[in-house]
Amino acid sequence: MFIEYDTFCLRANALVLRIAELCQLAGRSPSEVTLLPVTKNHPAAAAEYAARYGLNAVGENRVQEAIDKIGLTPPALRWELIGHLQSNKAKLAATHFSRIQSVDSEKLLAALNRSAGELGKKLPVLLQINAGRDPAKFGVEPTEAPRLLEYALHQPHLQVDGLMTIAPLSDDADVARRTFANLRGIRDELAGRFGRPLAELSMGMSSDLAAAIAEGSTLVRVGTALYGPRE
Ligand SMILES: *Cc1c(COP(=O)(O)O)cnc(C)c1O
């Protein structure tokens, strides 16, 4: 059985407090870090809870799973795609998501740009960088990031908000910390070189939140700490 809303509230309150504490430790303002609940593998109620709590966006990994839930949840709630996307689903993703965080190829950029143009919208995206050089993760290699960004900036129907990464699974907390520091360094370099702020740094999940906030995350994607383990 899925958790009750009361349980969600307690966990969300604790998480908001923890994020504020971590921001304080890092000398940052809590307003700099957005909490994105990740509702994948959970029922539509997970997204409805987030909306009721006052959070205005949720993250999903799969296009079809999100579409199935969108009709069952408040229309004002925004959906962000955080899972791998194939170019042949670009139109569907551009239609239903308010931002795509997992953009990792020129082919996908071109397909999203075309779809956004057809839909008459400017679609916000993040470029996914494999900042931990983990063979098990999607995202472009750091050395490929400048080329991908240059291509993205030439797409008139896309708006590049920043970068996203997933840290390698590891028992060593330093691995996540180094991955996030690396992403921030890549962002700083690209921002200088291309004259764009690339303000959004989507990094950090339930288990590596502290390292992410210490290294400058502006958006943490949290599933387990809010909803419990996934089936
Ligand atoms: C599932 C997922 C999350 C959330 O992970 P938790 O460990 O449950 O907090 C965050 N980001 C991405 C890309 C995910 O796939």
Side-chain angles (χ1 to χ4, degrees), residues 38 40 61 82 166 205-206 221-224 230:
V38 175
K40 65 166 182 236
N61 283 54
I82 61 173
I166 306 170
M205 331 202 304
S206 296
R221 311 175 306 262
V222 180
T224 310
R230 287 177 286 271

Side-chain angles (χ1 to χ4, degrees), residues 7-159:
T7 304
F8 175 83
C9 271
L10 291 173
R11 290 177 181 170
N13 288 344
L15 188 59
V16 167
L17 198 65
R18 173 126 197 276
I19 291 171
E21 286 167 358
L22 291 167
C23 283
Q24 193 173 26
L25 275 174
R28 307 180 60 201
S29 160
S31 64
E32 292 172 33
V33 181
T34 300
L35 169 60
L36 183 74
V38 175
T39 51
K40 65 166 182 236
N41 293 25
H42 293 301
E48 191 275 318
Y49 289 178
R52 209 193 307 176
Y53 190 79
L55 298 165
N56 46 31
V58 294
E60 278 282 340
N61 283 54
R62 293 160 186 258
V63 176
Q64 191 55 50
E65 183 178 342
I67 292 172
D68 292 344
K69 295 172 187 175
I70 288 172
L72 303 170
T73 48
L77 187 64
R78 291 184 292 103
W79 296 75
E80 299 207 24
L81 186 65
I82 61 173
H84 185 64
L85 177 62
Q86 282 171 333
S87 306
N88 62 5
K89 294 209 179 122
K91 182 73 183 280
L92 215 48
T95 303
H96 296 281
F97 288 89
S98 66
R99 185 160 65 180
I100 315 291
Q101 295 200 9
S102 45
V103 178
D104 62 356
S105 74
E106 295 180 1
K107 186 178 173 198
L108 181 56
L109 281 166
L112 287 170
N113 181 62
R114 190 177 338 107
S115 303
E118 286 165 11
L119 294 163
K121 63 156 111 166
K122 187 138 183 156
L123 181 67
V125 298
L126 301 181
L127 304 182
Q128 184 175 352
I129 312 294
N130 191 359
R133 315 208 57 142
D134 179 349
K137 293 285 186 291
F138 289 109
V140 291
E141 293 305 306
T143 51
E144 298 290 316
R147 208 169 67 188
L148 190 66
L149 176 59
E150 174 152 38
Y151 191 85
L153 293 175
H154 281 100
Q155 309 302 310
H157 305 293
L158 303 181
Q159 166 191 309

